[in-house]
Structure formats: structure tokens, C-alpha cells
Amino acid sequence: MRRTLRPAVFLLLLASPPAAAVAYGQAATRLETVVIVGGQEPASPIPTLFANSASNRAVSELLFLPLARLGPDNVTSGDKGFVPQLARSWTRRDSLTLVFEMDRRARWQDGTPVTARDAALAINLARDPAVDAQTALLMRLVAEATAPDESHLVVRFTEAYDEQLYDAVYHVYPLPAHLVDTIPRGALAKSAFATAPVGNGPYRWTRRVPKQQLELTAYDQFFLGKPGPRRVLYLTVGDAEARMNLLLSGDADVLAAPGTVSSVARVTADKRVRVYPMPTTIVGYLSFNQRDPADLNRPHPILSDPAVRAAIVKALDRRGMVQATFGSWASVPEGPVPQLFWIRDPGYKPAAADPAGARAQLVSRGWTDSDGDGVLDKAGKPLALTLNYPSQDAARGQLALQVQEQLRQVGIRIEINRLDGPVWVERRNRGEFDLDFAQGAMDPSPAGMVQSWSCAGRGGANKAYYCNPKVDSLLALALRAPKKEALSLYRQAVRTIAADAPAVFVYTLTTPMAVNARIRQVELIPVAPWSAVWRWAPGPSR
Amino acid sequence: MTRWLVRRTLQAVVTFVVVTVLLFVLMRLTPGDPLERLAGDRQMSAEAVAALRHKFGIDQPITTQFTSFVAGALAGDLGVSIEHYPTKVSTLVLSRLPASLLLGGTVLLLTFGIGIALGVFQAVKRRSRADRWLTRASLTLYAMPSFWLGLVLAWFFGIRLQLLPVAQMHDPLLDPDASWLVRTGDVLRHLILPAVTLTAVSLAAVMRYQRTALLEVLRLDFVLAARARGIPERQVLWRHAWRNALFPVVGLLGLWLPMLVSGSVFVEQVFNWPGLGSLAADAVGARDYPVILGTAMLVSAQVLLGGLLADLAYYALDPRVRQA
């Protein structure tokens, strides 16, 4: 071979996928592996202890099982409709006590049986605010968990309410007591268990390359069945375009939430990829600050007036904005009610935008365009507000521009602040905003509304300091009421919140989950998307 | 020579210290709290945030923080990452260094290798059709944003033709026990698109420098004299003219040496190349102060070293510098 040709042949060999595949001997491995690509790194996918991000929580579903899962209708109230997992069954001893019978087939991946002691340890850890303040708050009605023997777990509650089972199984997953109990709580983050967790789910931890990939291997002794995909790789890819390229080139099999409507269209146009809709607990809303950002002890000079807030809501064409940004992958919620809430009113239709009515309402509150500059003013002060949103969210950026333009037409000047993530969080926490474009993944239980929309939530998740005692009372009554009555009380609370207009509730999302067509039997469970991956059937590329 | 070298090194050290102090102070003045972000999408109590702040030492006065940082740095400890707790900054930086060196080294090699060759070719064939087309092509590539070119190449070669990997440095499915030959081939396959992207957008500068420098030298009397003495044209070009036309390119190389470690943030992100550029960008986004400082110090050191090496090269190549 001529010397000059050698480099070209070498490059051709490198570039040839079949040659490379043969050289790697990877064809068989490829068939048996599911590659998931995401933007956030699941650095510590350990439930109860470190589940502080969506990716940690999602990936922990591959490693750990709960006592029981929410059923397909996502009803969080009552003792029925849940799907047994580590607990084979549960009975009610009295209105304050639940007794779980553990499934004796369950094993930790080091061979140790999963016992009631593991579940009791996790529940008691979760009640400790030093471990995780937010989980401790959610578990505040759990008095204690004990394990009288290996097979039975007794959970006692401080009061009778309809979501006891949900609280016991949703927020906490059993942890291996034989490994965790000996670690001082302050040393958990540095422990061997944190860096290579031992779970009881269908996959076991194999290796992690920080910020790059996490590799999990099928655990063949998994008591619910042998996992189909032999390996699951989770790739962390920060750039949205790179994630999309990996999916479209076939190097990755699964991509959650490809992004705005144009990105989703790119995915749906590719026949090698199927898109599955997955309802979520995500709600996007524009919070109105109730406090003056310049002096947090005073009410907001403009937004403390409910009529002004209601006029802003009235002025916006939320349906049009959501359609333009997300296409059919989102809808306008009635209040802080995501698609997965069982209390959601399926017949709800948002009122049409009424810019003229909104302007008239503002004029009736004394806001007029006295200097003819197109911006309403009162006592010499213009109706001008800032809108903060995090720069990494393109969808909220698009929506912010639409909000700015639609409010301009009624005489409200909006200054958009596109902020770097940490700066946005800092300003939000400090109350330094007029309008804050927030997006939250809520708990599947409507009782979780207490965190962001009650007087008690002020200083915590309730960044805008909205407070209406009537809402608090309705939420408290709903929590303790039986399902049918609770439904009516929750809906009343939602309508009261919507009427108060503490925020513009802009969208609730359905996540498009893009999966390579080579994977069959795809089943996605909304609140735990990867928990059924072990039942998927990967096949050859199409 | 020794005195010159000592003086030059001292200057570099002083600059490095000033840059480090400035970086440390400016970083603390930047808005955004790393710990509030660290809480993820859950709420953290003020006490929990305060405890974390204490754990990472950022509740201390800035002078105390700086003193403890300097003490650690002198002992080779750049601290612990906030985002990747409890991983040490040095471990993170060292884990990303090989990828950066590989990409940066390949790009420098290709840019200067191809750029010098094409620049010489253009100078020799000045005002020819080839010269004009090469100028147009290189300037077109130069004008392209690297991330955009990267996306186009990834789409064409990765998605459309399915010839090359679109991202990553390794095939994640590659057997960890694969032979070194297979591993090398795998890395090279993944290297092609990011390296070609960066080379394409930076080639024009070297070509233009080399072309202009050589054209100037080719006009000088000593070249005419060499030709008059009957020295073959190839020898005139490479032994006499080119060596003298190399100084500007050497200066340029000194300026570009930091690319070896800093890479290109955009290209690293588009191709998910696990280099220091993307580590630094992620650290800035997370306000991970120790990692920002660690990577910035490395790049500063590289800039200063690049300048020093360029001066040394001038010193070695140009007798006039030695006499000055």
C-alpha cells in the first residue's frame, strides 16, 4: 500500500461503524443495554437520604423499591389503589396504626433479606430534620415506625387522616439497616454506601464516572422477575443539543423532555424514535410578590392589590402562550393543580384573555396613562414590574417575552431579568422580585399545596408570601376528610387560590418521553418514570 | 541568559499571584449562592444552609477564607468541590486534564501543522487561483461560530451519515476490559469531530500569519542572494526564508498554548467532551468557587507558561534577541 494512502484507510476504518462495532465486540452488548440521557447528574440516587434532585429521584427507582407504589389513577387518599412492592400487604390496626407485611422474597443486592427493620430505620431517618428538613416536614404526622419482627412493620400516626398510607410509602424507601445503621449521620455523605449504594431493586450499582455516566447492571435475583435490559447507562449531558444528537444518532435510547415545541417536533419527525406522553406534577407559574422587594416588611406597592393581580391574569392569553411554546404538551391549570393530581377538574377551561377588561379594571383602581407614554401610572409612578426567570430554561424565556408583549398592550411595562441559575434562586429566596417565573414539581398529593400556598409555607416554598386563612382551613379540612369530601374541599381551595390570584398559573406539563423504536414493551410510570425499565425489551436497531 | 530567565520567571510568578488574588476576590463578589442552589429543587431551612456554609468555610471573612486557601494551595490542596462534595478539586481537575490535553494538543498540532503548510503554499503561489480560494475558504470557516459548525458536523456525519459519534469521549458501551488498541481507536473516533471543528475555525489565523510573514521574507535581499548563488528553490524556501518567517507563528503558538488545557467551552459542550472547559463552565453555573478557582489558576499558569515558552523560543531562534 502506498504510504500516502495509509492514513486515509486508517481514518476510514475508524469512521466505519460496522468495522468499529465488530472491533468492539459490542453488538450483543448494545442489544441488551438501555442508554438514558439526561441533563442533570444523578450523583447520589439514594432515596430518603439524598433525593434532592429530580434525576437522583428518577434513577433511584432503578436501584430501590418502596413499600408500595401509587396506582395508575394516582389517588393518594385511602388505603386502596396502591401497588404492593416490598410490602406484600398492609392492614389497619386502628385509625392511627398501619401494619405492613414485608415480602419475604425481597433481598438487598448483597444477599441480605429486606426486613421490616430496614423500613423502620428509613422512616425514622426521614422524620429527622437533620437528615432532610423537607421530608421531615412531610412526615410530620408519622409518630413512629417499629419492627416487632423481621416481617412486620408498624407505623403509628399522630392523628387520623386519609393519606396515612401515602405518607408511609411515598416519601420514604427502605434502606439497608445492616449497612446504614452503623454510619454516623454526619458521615453519610462520605460513606461507602453513598458512593456505591446497595439497593433492593432490579439494577445494582456498577460504576460512576462523575459528570459523565452511571452504569447499572441487572440484578438477576430481583424478586419480582429477571430484568429484560441487562444494563442501564445513564449519560449526563449538559447541552440540550448534544442530548438530542445522541438520541437521533441512536447512541442513546431515551431522552426525557426534549424541550420546546420545535425540539419535540424534531424528535417526532424521526421514525427511529417514538414519543410517549407522560403526565407530570410540574406546574409553571408567575408568582406575584406580596412584599415590597425594597422593604420586605411592607406590602408590595403595586401587587398587594388583588384587583391589579387579577387584571394581569385577565390580560394574558395563557392558552395561546402555552400552545405556542409547548404545542399539545402542556395545558393551562386552574390553579396549582398539575396534570397528575387526582383532584384535577377535567372539565376546566381557562377564561379567554380580556385585555380591554383588564385595562378597565386597572383604570378603576386609579391606574391611568396620564402622560400618554403608553404605560399606566398612578400618583406619578408607572405601572412597571420586573420579571425574573432562570436563563437555562428556554421555554420560560419564550413565555416571558409573550407576557411582556401582552401586558404592554394593556399599559403595563415589564422588564425581563434573565438570570443565571444561582442568581435567580438567590433573588427568589430573598424576595427580590416583582414577578418570578417559577416551575415546580409537586408531590402527587394535593396536600402538598400547603407548602407553597398556605400561610405556614411563608419563608419556605411560599416565596411570594401569599396568605389566605380560608385556603389554610380548606386544605386542613381536606387532609382529614374522606376521599369524596376531600375532593370537594380541595377544589374549593383551588378556586379560592385562583380567585386571589397570587400567581398567574401558566402551564402544567406532559413530558414527551422520547424512546428509540428498538425498545419494545415501553411502560412509563408518571411519578417514577424509570421504575418499569426492567420490564422493557430492547431489540436490534430499526 | 540565566539572569533573563530568572527575571522573566519572577515576572510570571508575580502575575500569577495577582491573577489568583483578583480571581478569589471577584468570585466572592459575584451574585448567586452556591449553597441555595445545592439544595436542588427542595426547600432547605435557613439553619441547614448555614450549616452547609460553615462546612465549606464560606461563612468566614474573606481574608480568613483566602488565608486558608493559600495555605491549602501551598500544600497542594485546592479544597473540596461544593457541587461534587466530597471530591477534591485537584482530583476533578486531574480527571479532566487528559481529555483537555488530548483535544487541545490535537487541535494545536493540526492547526499549526496544516496552517503553516497552507500558509507557505499560499505565499509561494501568491495571487494564484488556489491562493484566493484558500483565503476565502479559511476566512469563511474562521467566521463561523465553533458551536454552530460543531452542530452541523455532528448532524451530517453523526446523524445523517451515521459515520462518527456525535458526542462523548468514549463509547459508553465499550467493554471496560477492551484492549488498548480498541480503546485508542474508540477515543480517536470520538476525537475527530471536535478536533476538526476547532481546527477548522482556527486555521485561518495561522495561515494568514504564515503567508504574510513568508511573503515579507521572500522579498528580502538575502533570499535574492541565495537564489543568485544557485541554491535550489526548495532549499531557499525552507532553509532560508521559512525559518526567518517563523517568528510571528511562534508568538501565535505561545498565545494559543493555553488551549491545551482550557479547550473550547462551546465545542466541549456541543460534543459533551469531558474537558476542563466544560468543568469550568459548569462550575461557574453552580458557583462552585473552589473548582472555578482551580481551573482558572491552571489556565492562568498555562497562559504565563505559554508566554514564557514563546519568549524562550524567540531567544533560541533569533540571535538579535540574544544580543539585546
Side-chain angles (χ1 to χ4, degrees):
Chain A
M1 190 186 301
R2 283 180 60 189
R3 188 175 288 179
T4 49
L5 281 179
R6 282 182 194 164
V9 171
F10 179 64
L11 283 175
L12 268 177
L13 276 174
L14 280 177
S16 152
V22 171
Y24 296 178
Q26 60 173 222
T29 319
R30 178 85 187 115
L31 285 183
E32 298 171 339
T33 305
V34 169
V35 183
I36 300 171
V37 62
Q40 250 188 337
E41 184 185 25
S44 307
I46 304 173
T48 311
L49 295 181
F50 305 113
N52 65 338
S53 73
S55 60
N56 270 347
R57 283 198 292 276
V59 173
S60 70
E61 298 287 346
L62 295 158
L63 293 159
F64 293 87
L65 290 190
L67 289 168
R69 277 191 203 289
L70 279 175
D73 52 3
N74 296 301
V75 175
T76 53
S77 178
D79 296 350
K80 290 176 186 164
F82 285 72
V83 181
Q85 298 278 281
L86 290 176
R88 216 174 62 166
S89 61
W90 47 90
T91 51
R92 186 164 283 287
R93 189 179 281 170
D94 52 49
S95 64
L96 295 179
T97 315
L98 272 172
V99 180
F100 293 86
E101 188 188 348
M102 304 296 290
D103 193 320
R104 290 180 182 212
R105 297 172 300 164
R107 292 276 180 283
W108 294 105
Q109 287 150 4
D110 60 4
T112 312
V114 178
T115 67
R117 197 176 144 240
D118 300 318
L121 168 86
I123 291 176
N124 292 326
L125 268 176
R127 291 172 50 241
D128 182 353
V131 173
D132 181 9
Q134 190 173 355
T135 310
L137 180 69
L138 294 167
M139 300 289 285
R140 67 194 180 283
L141 299 178
V142 177
E144 64 166 351
T146 52
D149 60 55
E150 301 273 282
S151 310
H152 292 92
L153 169 75
V154 180
V155 185
R156 280 201 323 106
F157 298 84
T158 56
E159 57 182 88
Y161 62 102
D162 232 34
E163 287 199 344
Q164 286 178 347
L165 177 60
Y166 167 77
D167 276 349
V169 303
Y170 184 78
H171 306 300
V172 183
Y173 285 39
L175 293 170
H178 64 289
L179 298 175
V180 175
D181 217 5
T182 50
I183 307 168
R185 290 189 187 177
L188 274 168
K190 282 186 178 177
S191 66
F193 178 71
T195 45
V198 175
N200 51 33
Y203 291 91
R204 60 190 164 79
W205 183 279
T206 308
R207 70 184 174 124
R208 172 181 164 241
V209 184
K211 292 295 265 182
Q212 290 178 53
Q213 70 179 66
L214 172 64
E215 184 178 336
L216 307 174
T217 314
Y219 175 54
D220 285 337
Q221 284 76 45
F222 180 52
F223 73 107
L224 293 177
K226 192 175 170 185
R230 308 307 299 151
R231 200 155 58 138
V232 175
L233 283 174
Y234 185 97
L235 305 181
T236 304
V237 178
D239 185 74
E241 286 295 337
R243 290 198 291 274
M244 181 74 85
N245 284 344
L246 280 167
L247 176 82
L248 297 179
S249 67
D251 290 338
D253 298 311
V254 187
L255 170 63
T260 54
V261 67
S262 57
S263 314
V264 178
R266 218 179 132 199
V267 174
T268 44
D270 195 313
K271 287 180 181 163
R272 292 166 298 183
V273 178
R274 289 199 185 115
V275 179
Y276 299 84
M278 198 177 69
T280 68
T281 58
I282 295 171
V283 176
Y285 54 93
L286 270 170
S287 273
F288 295 126
N289 200 349
Q290 311 280 320
R291 301 182 297 167
D292 186 349
D295 178 359
L296 296 174
N297 295 314
R298 287 192 319 201
H300 194 285
I302 299 172
L303 297 171
S304 56
D305 182 350
V308 173
R309 301 199 302 262
I312 293 176
V313 176
K314 199 186 271 186
L316 294 171
D317 174 15
R318 292 182 287 163
R319 256 195 298 193
M321 291 194 298
V322 167
Q323 177 69 31
T325 310
F326 299 107
S328 58
W329 297 95
S331 56
V332 178
E334 186 177 5
V337 182
Q339 299 203 340
L340 269 183
F341 266 16
W342 60 274
I343 61 156
R344 184 168 178 249
D345 180 358
Y348 169 72
K349 283 195 178 120
D354 178 10
R359 190 170 173 117
Q361 194 164 326
L362 290 169
V363 170
S364 73
R365 304 298 297 172
W367 293 96
T368 52
D369 187 6
S370 60
D371 52 6
D373 66 349
V375 180
L376 302 177
D377 52 77
K378 187 159 99 175
K381 287 194 175 170
L383 184 40
L385 299 162
T386 58
L387 188 164
N388 296 356
Y389 79 94
S391 57
Q392 68 269 24
D393 190 337
R396 271 183 274 179
Q398 281 186 28
L399 287 162
L401 287 172
Q402 295 173 67
V403 168
Q404 185 185 44
E405 175 54 22
Q406 290 183 19
L407 292 183
R408 187 188 65 76
Q409 290 175 15
V410 293
I412 302 172
R413 189 170 66 215
I414 296 289
E415 183 192 328
I416 295 176
N417 291 331
R418 181 177 180 269
L419 302 171
D420 204 11
V423 182
W424 175 70
V425 172
E426 189 178 64
R427 292 205 185 168
R428 210 169 166 249
N429 289 345
R430 289 185 184 167
E432 292 172 4
F433 63 91
D434 294 326
L435 275 74
D436 177 66
F437 212 146
Q439 175 178 291
M442 301 170 71
D443 278 331
S445 162
M449 284 193 286
V450 171
Q451 293 170 54
S452 299
W453 308 103
S454 75
C455 304
R458 288 178 298 180
N462 183 354
K463 306 290 181 198
Y465 269 65
Y466 163 69
C467 175
N468 182 345
K470 187 181 168 194
V471 172
D472 289 12
S473 154
L474 285 167
L475 291 176
L477 286 171
L479 180 68
R480 284 153 188 89
K483 188 180 164 190
K484 202 172 171 186
E485 205 181 318
L487 177 68
S488 157
L489 288 163
Y490 276 129
R491 284 192 178 162
Q492 244 181 290
V494 168
R495 279 178 207 128
T496 311
I497 294 172
D500 283 346
V504 184
F505 295 99
V506 184
Y507 59 85
T508 167
L509 284 180
T510 296
T511 296
M513 197 68 91
V515 183
N516 193 304
R518 78 179 184 89
I519 296 178
R520 287 163 284 116
Q521 297 172 30
V522 173
E523 181 189 350
L524 293 158
I525 297 172
V527 287
W530 312 136
S531 58
V533 165
W534 67 278
R535 288 197 289 260
W536 292 7
S541 297
R542 296 188 170 189
Chain B
M1 164 75 179
T2 312
R3 185 184 292 176
W4 175 85
L5 190 62
V6 169
R7 198 179 63 232
R8 197 64 190 75
T9 310
L10 275 176
Q11 279 174 355
V13 170
V14 170
T15 313
F16 181 72
V17 170
V18 171
V19 166
T20 306
V21 174
L22 275 176
L23 276 169
F24 192 91
V25 174
L26 288 175
M27 226 166 43
R28 295 304 197 278
L29 296 177
T30 315
D33 187 332
L35 299 177
E36 284 177 358
R37 188 196 165 278
L38 198 64
D41 52 10
R42 309 198 114 191
Q43 297 308 313
M44 261 176 127
S45 65
E47 296 79 37
V49 173
L52 277 175
R53 199 166 268 127
H54 180 70
K55 183 162 103 178
F56 291 106
I58 49 182
D59 58 343
Q60 302 291 319
I62 194 164
T63 45
T64 315
Q65 289 182 47
F66 186 69
T67 317
S68 83
F69 168 75
V70 170
L74 289 175
D77 180 7
L78 293 171
V80 175
S81 161
I82 296 174
E83 182 81 352
H84 305 281
Y85 181 81
T87 313
K88 286 188 164 187
V89 173
S90 49
T91 310
L92 272 176
V93 168
L94 285 176
S95 72
R96 297 295 189 100
L97 198 55
S100 284
L101 286 175
L102 177 64
L103 179 59
T106 307
V107 171
L108 279 187
L109 206 67
L110 288 174
T111 306
F112 280 84
I114 299 172
I116 288 172
L118 291 178
V120 170
F121 175 79
Q122 281 186 287
V124 171
K125 305 275 181 188
R126 65 184 172 281
R127 293 184 190 162
S128 67
R129 182 177 288 185
D131 178 29
R132 284 197 300 273
W133 275 106
L134 276 171
T135 300
R136 281 175 203 144
S138 62
L139 289 179
T140 305
L141 289 170
Y142 185 67
M144 283 181 188
S146 56
F147 70 90
W148 181 82
L149 181 63
L151 284 174
V152 170
L153 292 178
W155 172 78
F156 188 71
F157 290 104
I159 296 172
R160 184 84 194 264
L161 298 181
Q162 302 254 311
L163 275 178
L164 290 167
V166 290
Q168 310 279 93
M169 185 179 166
H170 304 280
D171 189 323
L173 297 167
L174 189 61
D175 185 351
D177 300 324
S179 70
W180 70 267
L181 191 66
V182 170
R183 289 182 156 284
T184 308
D186 177 54
V187 171
L188 289 177
R189 263 167 58 80
H190 285 80
L191 179 64
I192 294 173
L193 286 182
V196 166
T197 304
L198 280 172
T199 304
V201 295
S202 39
L203 201 57
V206 181
M207 284 167 66
R208 302 300 294 169
Y209 262 73
Q210 184 62 89
R211 181 182 181 275
T212 310
L214 189 58
L215 280 177
E216 276 177 18
V217 171
L218 284 173
R219 284 191 210 106
L220 296 178
D221 290 345
F222 78 91
V223 175
L224 192 64
R227 282 182 179 142
R229 287 204 300 276
I231 297 172
E233 187 58 27
R234 183 179 284 243
Q235 273 188 36
V236 170
L237 178 67
W238 291 106
R239 267 203 202 152
H240 296 263
W242 180 65
R243 284 180 66 175
N244 284 287
L246 206 54
F247 302 126
V249 181
V250 169
L252 192 65
L253 179 63
L255 285 176
W256 281 18
L257 266 186
M259 187 195 243
L260 269 175
V261 291
S262 65
S264 159
V265 173
F266 295 124
V267 169
E268 282 188 12
Q269 287 190 329
V270 163
F271 292 104
N272 204 38
W273 189 262
L276 282 168
S278 53
L279 177 72
D282 290 346
V284 169
R287 299 293 188 272
D288 192 345
Y289 298 143
V291 176
I292 301 173
L293 202 58
T295 47
M297 280 169 68
L298 192 65
V299 173
S300 313
Q302 188 74 18
V303 170
L304 295 168
L305 189 70
L308 194 63
L309 287 176
D311 285 352
L312 276 172
Y314 274 134
Y315 194 92
L317 288 170
D318 193 342
R320 289 167 300 180
V321 177
R322 284 198 294 269
Q323 285 157 12

